[in-house]
Amino acid sequence: MPILYHASASPYSAKVRMAAAYADVVLDLQSVVTTDQPAELLAANPMGKIPTMVLDDGFAIFDSRPIMQEIDRISGKKLYPRNAEKRRHVERFEAAGDGLSDVLIAHVYERRFRPKEKIHQDWLDSQAEKAERSFDWLESNLMAVRGKLNGGQFAVAAALSYADLRFPENNWRRGRPKLKRFEQRFGEAFEQYSELKSS
Ligand SMILES: N[C@@H](CCC(=O)N[C@@H](CS)C(=O)NCC(=O)O)C(=O)O
């Protein structure tokens, strides 16, 4: 069974955990703390980032997007449409979800890893603006939950759950009824959302 190094809070890990469960790909979930630089993680991924997957033959896959592609292959194409036009939309939607996670994490890391006196407020503000624009973009470019779920929807749901976890005071649902409805419908369509999301 493939191993997945992950952490419960990590949005990219949440995307992969959820997608694997949806696609019926069973993973050996190994929770790690990246700042501890665990030897088994560094052996598989020189950047020491999560998620990282290790296949049965020892082949390591890192970065959540190639891991999603691997899950898609293992599952017989349960995550991405075959139709090129539809797939282009799904891939962009996944990039939007991951991009939102990127700017939220940049904000968190600036406050977590920099000495207090070196925290750069302009940088924090610019990440917050990127996040707001991303939420607005998602509100206008939603991929409705209808029929089969796809890799893009897992990425966006994971990012939204990470926003709730780290920025509970900044309610992204306010003024964004379509995005709010998307999350509700996603949670109805994928019942393990509350268990596997970023937490
Ligand atoms: N583009 C990567 C981002 C992975 C990433 O930044 N993961 C974070 C946790 S959410 C991490 O491993 N941080 C530890 C570090 O940067 O050393 C992906 O999609 O997997």
Side-chain angles (χ1 to χ4, degrees):
M1 174 191 321
I3 295 170
L4 185 77
Y5 296 111
H6 79 117
S8 62
S10 157
Y12 318 100
S13 299
K15 172 179 69 164
V16 168
R17 281 195 302 268
M18 294 194 288
Y22 175 75
D24 295 319
V25 172
V26 181
L27 299 174
D28 175 4
L29 294 176
Q30 302 270 344
S31 180
V32 292
V33 178
T34 52
T35 46
D36 291 349
Q37 303 198 309
E40 62 278 20
L41 176 62
L42 293 185
N45 177 347
M47 279 77 71
K49 292 194 180 202
I50 49 169
T52 292
M53 182 188 237
V54 181
L55 300 179
D56 292 345
D57 64 1
F59 190 88
I61 305 177
F62 39 82
D63 198 286
S64 62
R65 279 189 236 178
I67 295 174
M68 293 289 277
Q69 297 301 321
E70 184 65 26
I71 293 170
D72 191 50
R73 280 190 290 275
I74 296 173
S75 69
K77 311 270 178 227
K78 286 194 183 159
L79 295 181
Y80 296 90
R82 288 168 200 265
N83 174 279
E85 176 68 23
K86 287 184 184 159
R87 189 170 180 124
R88 183 184 294 135
H89 278 273
V90 170
E91 287 175 358
R92 185 176 70 164
F93 205 55
E94 180 170 5
D98 288 351
L100 173 56
S101 291
D102 290 346
V103 298
L104 296 174
I105 282 181
H107 201 285
V108 168
Y109 283 7
E110 176 74 9
R111 289 174 288 129
R112 184 181 296 168
F113 294 118
R114 272 187 187 268
K116 236 184 175 142
E117 67 281 5
K118 291 192 174 161
I119 293 176
H120 192 201
Q121 190 58 45
D122 288 352
W123 169 257
L124 290 179
D125 293 346
S126 83
Q127 300 311 307
E129 285 162 17
K130 285 173 193 278
E132 286 305 304
R133 287 198 298 268
S134 298
F135 289 126
D136 288 342
W137 186 91
L138 289 169
E139 175 74 6
S140 310
N141 293 277
L142 268 177
M143 189 159 278
V145 175
R146 215 180 283 127
K148 282 165 64 176
L149 296 174
N150 62 58
Q153 292 166 327
F154 284 107
V156 169
L160 296 176
S161 66
Y162 186 72
D164 282 338
L165 178 70
R166 296 293 188 224
F167 302 88
E169 71 291 349
N170 175 22
N171 185 2
W172 56 263
R173 294 173 184 81
R174 198 179 310 122
R176 299 190 183 100
K178 291 182 192 159
L179 194 51
K180 179 179 170 185
R181 183 86 192 114
F182 165 84
E183 199 208 20
Q184 283 168 349
R185 295 287 306 272
F186 179 87
E188 288 158 13
F190 179 64
E191 286 177 1
Q192 286 169 280
Y193 179 49
S194 54
E195 176 198 338
L196 297 177
K197 68 184 182 182
S198 192
S199 64

